[in-house]
Amino acid sequence: MKVTVDKTKCIGCGACASIEPAVFMINPEDGKSQADQNNVAGREDACKEAASVCPVGAIVIEE
Ligand code: SF4
């Protein structure tokens, strides 16, 4: 499963990082979330939850 964050949509609310901090972190440089693909394996459900909670639909999941 591939997880990416569309930085053009992300508003940096931090909800994704709260749900799954091993995958999502707010980049201090731009204040927006980024996903660490290396940590997705085994955390797919949390990534999907983060995507469903994101208020602007910025988390893109590809199976
Ligand atoms: S939940 Fe969505 S808007 Fe909020 S920081 Fe994560 S990707 Fe950005």
Side-chain angles (χ1 to χ4, degrees):
M1 196 174 89
K2 185 178 174 192
V3 181
T4 51
V5 174
D6 183 344
K7 288 195 180 236
T8 65
K9 291 183 179 174
C10 176
I11 57 172
C13 72
C16 54
S18 295
I19 291 168
E20 186 43 88
V23 174
F24 301 99
M25 65 162 281
I26 303 297
N27 185 325
E29 300 269 315
D30 59 11
K32 299 191 176 190
S33 178
Q34 61 190 35
D36 185 346
Q37 184 62 37
N38 294 327
N39 289 341
V40 170
R43 300 183 175 92
E44 287 87 351
D45 286 350
C47 290
K48 288 176 185 171
E49 184 186 349
S52 71
V53 164
C54 176
V56 292
I59 298 171
V60 180
I61 290 185
E62 297 167 77
E63 298 292 342

